[in-house]
Amino acid sequence: MAVAPGDLNKLTKAFAGQIVRPDDPGYDAARAVWNSMIDRRPALIVRPTGTDDVVAALRFARERELIVAVRCGGHSIPGFSTCDDGIVIDLSPMHGAEIDPERRTARVRGGSLLAELDDAAQAHGLVCPVGVVSHTGVAGLTLGGGMGRLQRKLGLTIDSLLAVELVTADGRLVRASEDENPELFWGIRGAGANFGIVSSFEFLLHPFDGPVTHGTVTHPIERADQLAECFRALVEEGPDELWTSFGLAAAVDGRGPIATVSVLHSGSPADAKRDLAGLRALGDTLEDSVESKPYLASQRLFDAPMEWGQRFSMKSSFLGSLPEELVRDWADQVSRAPDGAEGGISVWAWGRAIAAVPEENTAFTGRDAAYWAAAEIVWNDGALDADCRSWARAAADSAAPHASVGRYVNDVTEFGRDVARMIYGDAKHERLVALKRKWDSDNVFKLNQNITP
Ligand SMILES: Cc1cc2nc3c(=O)[nH]c(=O)nc-3n(C[C@H](O)[C@H](O)[C@H](O)COP(=O)(O)OP(=O)(O)OC[C@H]3O[C@@H](n4cnc5c(N)ncnc54)[C@H](O)[C@@H]3O)c2cc1C
């Protein structure tokens, strides 16, 4: 459905930012999102310069009943930040992070990427716990929860969120925090893409200086059991400063399938050496990349391998335990990942600062898990789409008997009415439905894991 040029004039009069239409030369670049499985053709892509533009674009869309997609970093795995025939409100010009070093806070605009918050905070010896690929959007990541390598010490990204300003479905600019609209602030922290367009976030920052000890110890997949044992011990006995993950990855480039343990230790180098001695004593590694490096270097390490333009599928769950039979099952599945794709399993240590926040404090569900685990697969050839998706589904099915309550909304790629109930559980889902009825009863913001009003 095209928007007629005469009609578009009504928007251009009220809108200061860029407007991209299907016949404009930049249209194909503007409509692309991170996951190249997603190929949609919006009627308009608009790039607001500020909240007045956001209000104008939203009003224009609502008057014409255009479907609305909201974009920050464009990393939504199921492609929620684009649409066919509707309007994409691409917040990328509204970006940047301002730090108040005295109050230890950051004000981050709604179209910013993680790198902007990381860089600005580190310039003052401060940090906000965020995700591990620095071209991910602050907005999408935060509104769903926000996992990262500092989570056992500093919690999820939402646990450092002080306030948001958002444009609501009826075009008002509203602030939500513990003191203002507290129920909305509860819902924003875990189901946040449902309630409005966030124009700015305010975060509490934490003192964080000096290098971190970060890297991966790699073994042949035959040692998966032994490595999993070592991983469980690190999770249980390691300090809050130690983030760790266990991985299994398919064979690529002539290398056989592998088992890995990755770590980021944010304590002193001496403490890291002591806490990682057991892992590094295993010997006969294929590779050991654990070393001291600046925090920002670790935050950029996966930017290139996870660059835009690849095809990607994932399924995740929270686990109550990581039993041996599951590790063996996954090792077997990883060895059978489709040729031409990079498939793997990633299991992250959960708990500590995440579990210290009571489950009922935020809409985010799953704080009580022992682990977060995901089957992830990356490929380039469209002919492999079906095989790769079914590989990820099968690997996720193996985890199902060990899953605990909740799902991480930012990973969920299934669609349907009951999906939100599965993510949040019955009680929180009902509370979210009441909130949705109050703030977006017409379901203007439906391109998300939708809370149906
Ligand atoms: C390469 C990669 C690495 C990742 N690493 C991590 C990680 O380490 N930790 C982690 O927790 N997650 C991670 N994720 C998942 C990530 O958190 C989600 O994909 C998240 O939705 C991306 O946010 P975005 O702003 O880039 O996405 P977008 O696609 O722009 O948006 C995602 C959702 O948020 C909504 N939205 C965007 N901006 C706004 C706004 N300003 N106001 C209201 N709603 C908005 C959109 O409508 C959409 O529903 C990763 C994803 C990828 C692809």
Side-chain angles (χ1 to χ4, degrees):
M1 183 172 59
V3 174
D7 200 17
L8 194 59
N9 285 341
K10 293 183 186 122
L11 178 61
T12 42
K13 276 188 199 138
F15 190 84
Q18 191 189 8
I19 299 175
V20 186
R21 290 162 307 169
D23 46 2
D24 287 336
Y27 178 73
D28 279 334
R31 73 186 179 88
V33 289
W34 179 85
N35 187 354
S36 72
M37 292 277 285
I38 313 294
D39 182 17
R40 305 217 171 104
R41 306 190 66 85
L44 284 181
I45 299 154
V46 300
R47 293 186 165 139
T49 58
T51 48
D52 287 351
D53 281 352
V54 173
V55 172
L58 199 52
R59 180 175 304 131
F60 180 84
R62 291 206 64 179
E63 284 168 1
R64 284 148 194 85
E65 296 185 350
L66 289 173
I67 184 153
V68 175
V70 183
R71 181 179 313 169
C72 173
H75 280 45
S76 162
I77 293 153
F80 286 138
S81 48
T82 184
C83 56
D84 281 323
D85 302 327
I87 184 167
V88 174
I89 303 180
D90 172 2
L91 297 171
S92 55
M94 292 171 58
H95 71 101
E98 284 160 36
I99 308 299
D100 181 335
E102 301 297 314
R103 290 177 60 230
R104 284 204 273 116
T105 57
R107 195 164 184 278
V108 184
R109 299 185 82 204
S112 308
L113 305 184
L114 301 189
E116 296 175 83
L117 173 53
D118 273 342
D119 289 352
Q122 278 284 274
H124 295 276
L126 298 168
V127 80
C128 181
V130 292
V132 302
V133 174
S134 82
H135 45 72
T136 310
V138 170
L141 177 123
T142 304
L143 296 171
M147 308 165 41
R149 298 190 193 99
L150 301 179
Q151 63 185 20
R152 299 230 305 171
K153 185 172 166 55
L154 300 176
L156 300 170
T157 308
I158 46 170
D159 300 332
S160 293
L161 186 62
L162 296 174
V164 293
E165 278 176 8
L166 72 161
V167 175
T168 57
D170 55 4
R172 283 177 299 143
L173 187 61
V174 165
R175 187 175 157 89
S177 68
E178 292 287 3
D179 303 321
E180 288 168 82
N181 298 303
E183 182 67 4
L184 177 60
F185 191 53
W186 173 85
I188 287 281
R189 289 172 292 165
N194 274 278
F195 302 111
I197 302 179
V198 176
S199 53
S200 80
F201 296 84
E202 191 180 329
F203 292 104
L204 178 68
L205 303 177
H206 311 269
F208 195 80
D209 233 342
V212 294
T213 304
H214 178 217
T216 298
V217 172
T218 305
H219 287 261
I221 203 157
E222 290 72 27
R223 288 204 208 116
D225 280 353
Q226 197 187 352
L227 218 54
E229 193 51 48
C230 181
F231 169 69
R232 288 187 204 94
L234 287 174
V235 173
E236 279 159 32
E237 294 153 24
D240 296 354
E241 284 75 16
L242 176 61
W243 167 90
T244 178
S245 74
F246 171 70
L248 297 165
V252 277
D253 300 335
R255 183 203 70 189
I258 52 170
T260 59
V261 169
S262 298
V263 291
L264 183 138
H265 197 300
S266 56
S268 71
D271 287 355
K273 191 170 177 201
R274 180 199 62 211
D275 296 332
L276 300 175
L279 172 66
R280 305 188 88 181
L282 286 179
D284 283 340
T285 52
L286 293 174
E287 196 186 344
D288 180 342
S289 66
V290 179
E291 61 182 4
S292 177
K293 61 188 74 158
Y295 174 68
L296 290 179
S298 73
Q299 286 294 87
R300 299 287 202 280
L301 210 60
F302 291 103
D303 283 6
M306 299 306 280
E307 201 35 277
W308 280 60
Q310 311 179 76
R311 306 175 91 77
F312 185 78
S313 179
M314 78 180 288
K315 301 269 172 222
S316 78
S317 47
F318 293 120
L319 300 181
S321 64
L322 179 63
E324 272 176 28
E325 74 256 30
L326 179 56
V327 172
R328 291 206 188 114
D329 201 357
W330 273 339
D332 186 42
Q333 294 185 40
V334 155
S335 306
R336 288 185 279 106
D339 283 343
E342 291 187 32
I345 306 291
S346 185
V347 184
W348 285 27
W350 204 246
R352 304 294 175 93
I354 299 173
V357 176
E359 177 68 42
E360 64 277 10
N361 277 23
T362 60
F364 180 94
T365 306
R367 290 180 183 274
D368 296 336
Y371 305 98
W372 166 90
E376 301 178 335
I377 186 158
V378 184
W379 69 103
N380 290 311
D381 179 358
L384 294 176
D385 287 359
D387 284 354
C388 289
R389 282 171 145 169
S390 65
W391 179 85
R393 224 175 356 254
D397 286 348
S398 300
H402 313 285
S404 56
V405 177
R407 293 273 304 276
Y408 180 29
V409 64
N410 281 353
D411 302 337
V412 179
T413 51
E414 298 95 309
F415 300 94
R417 233 187 139 77
D418 288 333
V419 174
R421 194 178 281 282
M422 173 189 76
I423 294 169
Y424 301 105
D426 288 343
K428 283 192 182 178
H429 181 254
E430 264 164 48
R431 197 168 157 186
L432 286 166
V433 169
L435 206 52
K436 182 78 171 175
R437 285 183 182 149
K438 176 163 181 199
W439 292 97
D440 183 19
S441 56
D442 294 333
N443 208 4
V444 175
F445 304 112
K446 58 165 69 114
L447 290 179
N448 42 49
Q449 285 303 350
N450 195 230
I451 309 293
T452 313

